Amino acid sequence: MTKAKLHDGSTLDVEVHGAGPTVLLPVNPRPAEGPQAEAMRKWGADPALGRSLIEGLSDAFQVVAFDYEGHVLGTPKPDTLTPANVAGDLLAVADAVGADRFAYYGYSWLALSGLQLAIRTDRLSALVMGGFPPVGGPYAEMLRVTMATHEMAVSPQSPPAAPQTSRNSEEPDWSSVEVSMTEAQTRQFVTLYQALQGFDDRAAQARISCPRLCFVGSADEIEYGERWGGVHVSMAGPIVNRRAELGDLGWEVSVMEGLDHTQAMQAAHVLPVVRPWFASAMGVRLPR
């Protein structure tokens, strides 16, 4: 176990698995257990997702696994979770394991974190963004959602929830599930999306120098309920509708037909796309 020192002075546990070119993987390497695991299974998520991804890559790559999302929820950074600081934290993880060059895979907000990393360093050997578009990202919509969630966090009458429902999919109505979060936990994501309001992701493409892949489920269209202002967040639309443009900008694009946000992050769908792509991008011969 290695520890990385982050921008606020806190430390993050880092695990290293396998050998080969380095891949940074911001996932929880420890499977959820008990009631948390049961709740995850109920909503179609894999309690052992992080471990499944690690096991699927570590036979050909040195996988550096770290639960960044769990860390920021456990040690909130309400005023400092900015794009620059997130990118700095990811570089600190690479430094902690002595990786001068490394690839990165992130999903959802951890995918946009990878984009912020890519435009700030030349150390990336490959970038994979899952469940968040590289161009046309829903930054304004996510700010509205995070601000509404923060407002609920400071109101004792309305604890915040995890409100994900996808159109044209079988994803459950997560808006009916209450998941308590603190004011500091929610405010850090307001800080992040506020800092991204002036971000021109189209212009930023010229600053990415490594091979890159983006993927999304075709049904990744998230409807947030009235408590979140009735916001519609389209993750699939900007990728599906701008596929040719993304190709011209150097992105390889994969659309997972019929999958929603939760389904497309599961290892059974991710590994068949990401594993061979990383191998090709980094010149690795995969074991048979």
Side-chain angles (χ1 to χ4, degrees):
M1 182 77 71
T2 302
K3 290 186 180 293
K5 187 173 182 179
L6 306 186
H7 74 270
D8 61 344
S10 63
T11 58
L12 172 63
D13 290 339
V14 179
E15 294 187 8
V16 179
H17 300 263
T22 299
V23 176
L24 263 59
L25 202 62
V27 298
N28 187 351
R30 300 176 183 175
E33 298 178 344
Q36 181 186 6
E38 289 302 315
M40 293 178 71
R41 291 189 189 97
K42 182 179 179 180
W43 306 120
D46 177 9
L49 174 60
R51 186 176 67 183
S52 298
L53 292 172
I54 293 167
E55 291 176 348
L57 294 171
S58 59
D59 64 333
F61 306 94
Q62 176 178 267
V63 178
V64 178
F66 54 103
D67 187 8
Y68 189 66
E69 181 171 62
H71 174 82
V72 301
L73 291 175
T75 308
K77 308 163 198 320
D79 299 311
T80 64
L81 196 72
T82 62
N85 282 339
V86 170
D89 287 346
L90 298 176
L91 288 173
V93 170
D95 291 342
V97 298
D100 182 57
R101 295 279 292 173
F102 55 91
Y104 177 89
Y105 163 66
Y107 193 87
S108 198
W109 78 273
L110 292 168
L112 77 83
S113 299
L115 178 61
Q116 295 299 314
L117 173 66
I119 64 175
R120 288 174 167 83
T121 184
D122 59 1
R123 293 168 60 183
L124 271 185
S125 55
L127 169 66
V128 178
M129 291 180 65
F132 200 96
V135 176
Y139 299 105
E141 293 87 344
M142 287 308 301
L143 177 61
R144 290 170 60 192
V145 170
T146 53
M147 289 180 68
T149 306
H150 177 255
E151 289 171 6
M152 285 186 281
V154 300
S155 170
Q157 290 77 27
S158 301
Q164 296 187 22
T165 62
S166 296
R167 298 188 308 180
N168 304 320
S169 79
E170 297 180 356
E171 190 168 13
D173 181 3
W174 285 23
S175 61
S176 64
V177 180
E178 302 293 347
V179 180
S180 296
M181 293 178 69
T182 67
E183 187 276 339
Q185 286 174 326
T186 57
R187 181 152 55 94
Q188 64 186 338
F189 293 106
V190 174
T191 296
L192 177 65
Y193 285 105
Q194 280 180 331
L196 288 165
Q197 292 312 291
F199 178 58
D200 185 340
D201 54 13
R202 178 64 173 78
Q205 300 300 312
R207 297 158 63 185
I208 306 173
S209 58
C210 64
R212 48 240 191 231
L213 163 72
C214 64
F215 71 86
V216 72
S218 66
D220 195 344
E221 302 290 335
I222 307 172
E223 300 285 357
Y224 286 85
E226 291 184 7
R227 288 187 294 172
W228 294 268
V231 179
H232 173 67
V233 176
S234 178
M235 298 300 188
I239 294 178
V240 173
N241 298 332
R242 304 174 78 159
R243 189 166 188 164
E245 178 186 358
L246 286 167
D248 291 341
L249 291 168
W251 288 90
E252 187 164 333
V253 178
S254 178
V255 177
M256 299 176 178
E257 195 61 38
L259 301 187
D260 60 32
H261 196 70
T262 300
Q263 293 165 340
M265 74 169 70
Q266 303 310 312
H269 301 298
V270 172
L271 289 172
V273 174
V274 171
R275 176 180 156 87
W277 185 85
F278 268 147
S280 176
M282 293 188 283
V284 173
R285 177 173 293 181
L286 293 174
R288 291 185 177 182

